[in-house]
Amino acid sequence: MGNQLDRITHLNYSELPTGDPSGLEKDELRVGVAYFFSDEEEEVDDRTPSDCGFTKDHSPVEEGPFSLSEVEYSAFCSQECIFSKLRENEDLNVYSAKTLLTMCKPGDLLELVATAQAPHWVIYQHEDQIIHLHKGEIRRDSLLEISNGRHGRIVNNRYRFRPLPSDLVMQNASGHLGLRSEEICWTNSESFAAWCRFGKREFKSGGEAHSAEQQYFLKVHLSGSGVHTLVFRSLEDMIRERRRVDASGILKELSMVNGSKD
């Protein structure tokens, strides 16, 4: 079964607006990234709701929907768009956990967001139960409890891969319950949840053979600073860097130093 899941290929989707099908523009800054950052599985922490980036006009108690100020991305493998988080193409509104539960069905990918923190991804199971990678363990928890005041959204279409049937998604997730750090081959909650839904080994740590022919291009859309393109050798590397940018915002400082603008 595992080999069959790994052979699932991308769908052919129309490219996002870009002058070059590889996702690179000639006047953009290209940053080669060949380094690793520490894993960030302490994403769901004990922050108070006021620490999550919600203003007095957007209290975490509110049902939503409303929007947050977020970095937007699109990503490409060779000439194919494989990931998109662009407000022009997607509803990025977020909702309270209570409201989100009324919108979910088993096997859905959910993303919990907070300012200056990497998003936390989970698989919705049923009622208020979710399965996720948290603090080095695959576990089942209550969404209402682990959200800790954060808002979230359904992100089934964030990755442009063909999803597995919902029963296989749940089989992937529940079949790994109880695994701990030394047994886990995913570096963060997003990689685990995405693997459950799409079954692609590229989401696993070391699950992808590096080759000179295959490169990943991450386009980071920074408000007022243009678009920056980063180059990676694996999907795992790209996910780690994008999540680091979400948590630290360090690419904003880099853009000012280099002065790269469209």
Side-chain angles (χ1 to χ4, degrees):
M1 176 66 70
N3 290 337
Q4 292 176 344
L5 298 184
D6 285 341
R7 286 199 294 269
I8 292 177
T9 58
H10 305 178
L11 291 174
N12 291 321
Y13 288 84
S14 299
E15 297 291 325
L16 294 176
T18 177
D20 186 296
S22 69
L24 291 173
E25 302 290 350
K26 294 181 179 180
D27 58 343
E28 291 178 358
L29 170 66
R30 291 186 58 180
V31 182
V33 178
Y35 43 82
F36 289 92
F37 297 92
S38 60
D39 299 342
E40 23 57 45
E41 274 317 312
E42 303 301 314
E43 304 149 351
V44 180
D45 55 23
D46 297 324
R47 294 184 181 193
T48 63
S50 61
D51 294 329
C52 296
F54 301 106
T55 68
K56 62 182 180 180
D57 296 324
H58 292 142
S59 165
V61 178
E62 294 181 16
E63 300 300 311
F66 61 83
S67 62
L68 299 174
S69 176
E70 300 177 88
V71 178
E72 298 180 32
Y73 306 92
S74 55
F76 300 80
C77 180
S78 299
Q79 298 185 12
E80 182 175 18
C81 178
I82 62 169
F83 179 94
S84 173
K85 180 186 175 183
L86 295 175
R87 198 170 301 277
E88 64 187 62
N89 297 326
E90 177 187 354
D91 180 8
L92 296 182
N93 286 333
V94 293
Y95 303 81
S96 70
K98 182 178 179 181
T99 300
L100 196 58
L101 288 173
T102 68
M103 305 163 62
C104 297
K105 59 184 183 297
D108 278 350
L109 273 178
L110 308 183
E111 178 186 52
L112 301 177
V113 297
T115 300
Q117 186 180 15
H120 190 72
W121 287 44
V122 308
I123 293 289
Y124 176 72
Q125 186 176 31
H126 60 78
E127 297 180 346
D128 73 335
Q129 297 295 295
I130 54 92
I131 297 175
H132 62 148
L133 170 57
H134 178 46
K135 294 186 176 180
E137 181 182 359
I138 308 296
R139 49 193 283 178
R140 180 187 289 114
D141 286 303
S142 162
L143 178 64
L144 295 175
E145 293 179 1
I146 65 104
S147 64
N148 196 28
R150 291 162 179 76
H151 284 63
R153 56 195 163 212
I154 299 172
V155 289
N156 290 338
N157 298 320
R158 186 70 57 80
Y159 282 98
R160 302 302 184 89
F161 302 126
R162 179 183 292 115
L164 300 173
S166 59
D167 59 332
L168 288 183
V169 176
M170 296 315 308
Q171 179 180 309
N172 282 344
S174 60
H176 291 79
L177 282 170
L179 292 187
R180 296 183 178 272
S181 296
E182 62 275 7
E183 306 168 296
I184 291 173
C185 54
W186 300 275
T187 57
N188 53 65
S189 63
E190 178 178 336
S191 293
F192 171 70
W195 175 82
C196 289
R197 182 164 177 84
F198 302 108
K200 295 188 69 65
R201 61 187 175 190
E202 287 88 343
F203 287 110
K204 294 183 177 182
S205 178
E208 184 172 8
H210 294 173
S211 67
E213 293 76 22
Q214 180 165 294
Q215 290 183 315
Y216 292 86
F217 304 100
L218 177 65
K219 294 168 69 72
V220 185
H221 302 250
L222 298 175
S223 177
S225 301
V227 179
H228 297 258
T229 300
L230 288 75
V231 184
F232 301 88
R233 297 180 61 193
S234 72
L235 180 61
E236 179 192 15
D237 291 354
M238 187 186 74
I239 291 173
R240 292 169 69 117
E241 172 66 2
R242 177 173 49 75
R243 294 172 63 79
R244 188 190 65 81
V245 172
D246 281 334
S248 68
I250 194 171
L251 193 64
K252 294 183 180 181
E253 298 176 11
L254 180 64
S255 70
M256 289 189 291
V257 171
N258 289 277
S260 173
K261 296 185 178 181
D262 282 348

